[in-house]
Amino acid sequence: MIQHLGETFFNYDNKLLKTIVCLCKAPEEVIDSYVKGVRKRYINPISFFGISLTLTGFSIFIIKKFYKNALDASQLFDTSTMYSNKVSEDIMASSADFSLEYSSLIYASMIPLFALISWILFLNKRYNFTEHLVSYMYSMSLYSITSVTLGLIVLVIAPSYYLKFGMWLYLVVLLYHCFLLKRLFKLSAGELILKTFLFLVILLFVFGGISIIAGIVWAIIMHLNGDLEPIIEAQKAAKGG
């Protein structure tokens, strides 16, 4: 059994490891191979995405079971302002629970969103929307596999740094996608800067709208569960005090 697992996941000739290595070195080769119909060389994007979802689910289980405190956002903010009262603590705790509970759904929904924005920005290029979708299934699955693997190591060694690690990883993901798009569409430095800027601007507006909608839905769910009233009462008591 151990030998089989070793051959499956750690053998360099294995599709999974070969796909991960090539996505780091020459991502356009993996994506172009799939788009052009060469399916035997690398693992297909759906299977790759499935592996990333499985690992994400495993990570969520481990965090819920053993490292829930690692999601305490007070490690990132000034406690005198962000956590000056119990209301703020309850709101941030509920938000963290919501993000953890629906993290797989959030992660999965980001792929078509990124693909749509990318397709709009590169309409004059050779890829259609489906092919952009393939690109981001590969890139975001790579991000998920990397973040879960390294994140679990951080949780074991220094759990108090887990949230900081996650924030730094966002920067790495941004830089990786710049690398991917540059190689995929043969962009010049100027084109890459412009496309990245436009991508981030569009994404900012989209996320702003999604955040408002998610906030409303989250408030409705809390109200239906009876969790909103204690927070409101605590806030009134804090103001009265």
Side-chain angles (χ1 to χ4, degrees), residues 26-46:
E28 76 282 1
E29 182 178 330
V30 178
I31 296 167
D32 279 341
S33 293
Y34 186 83
V35 168
K36 292 176 181 177
V38 181
R39 308 293 165 84
K40 294 183 178 181
R41 189 176 303 167
Y42 304 105
I43 191 169
N44 69 73
I46 296 176

Side-chain angles (χ1 to χ4, degrees), residues 22-89:
C22 199
L23 281 172
C24 293
K25 294 169 56 179
E28 76 282 1
E29 182 178 330
V30 178
I31 296 167
D32 279 341
S33 293
Y34 186 83
V35 168
K36 292 176 181 177
V38 181
R39 308 293 165 84
K40 294 183 178 181
R41 189 176 303 167
Y42 304 105
I43 191 169
N44 69 73
I46 296 176
S47 297
F48 200 48
F49 178 65
I51 292 171
S52 71
L53 277 181
T54 301
L55 290 176
T56 299
F58 174 72
S59 176
I60 292 171
F61 171 78
I62 294 296
I63 292 173
K64 282 183 173 181
K65 191 74 174 178
F66 304 106
Y67 296 102
K68 193 69 177 293
N69 290 337
L71 299 180
D72 182 6
S74 64
Q75 303 170 65
L76 301 177
F77 301 101
D78 183 359
T79 56
S80 64
T81 57
M82 199 68 184
Y83 284 84
S84 57
N85 54 66
K86 191 175 185 302
V87 177
S88 299
E89 293 177 0

Side-chain angles (χ1 to χ4, degrees), residues 138-156:
Y138 272 122
S139 65
M140 292 302 294
S141 297
L142 177 64
Y143 156 69
S144 178
I145 292 171
T146 303
S147 64
V148 167
T149 304
L150 297 180
L152 289 176
I153 295 174
V154 172
L155 282 173
V156 172

Side-chain angles (χ1 to χ4, degrees), residues 19-20 23 27 31 45-56 103-116 118 132-149 169-170 172-178 180 199 203 207:
T19 301
I20 292 174
L23 281 172
I31 296 167
I46 296 176
S47 297
F48 200 48
F49 178 65
I51 292 171
S52 71
L53 277 181
T54 301
L55 290 176
T56 299
S103 59
S104 294
L105 179 61
I106 295 171
Y107 156 61
S109 64
M110 288 171 67
I111 293 176
L113 173 62
F114 288 173
L116 179 61
S118 182
H132 278 277
L133 196 60
V134 168
S135 301
Y136 284 96
M137 286 185 74
Y138 272 122
S139 65
M140 292 302 294
S141 297
L142 177 64
Y143 156 69
S144 178
I145 292 171
T146 303
S147 64
V148 167
T149 304
L169 200 59
Y170 289 145
V172 175
V173 171
L174 174 62
L175 294 176
Y176 174 77
H177 278 90
C178 290
L180 182 149
F199 189 100
L203 189 62
F207 270 172

Side-chain angles (χ1 to χ4, degrees), residues 2-16:
I2 294 175
Q3 182 180 358
H4 174 69
L5 289 174
E7 290 176 353
T8 302
F9 292 101
F10 299 106
N11 187 348
Y12 184 80
D13 293 330
N14 159 266
K15 276 188 181 181
L16 176 59

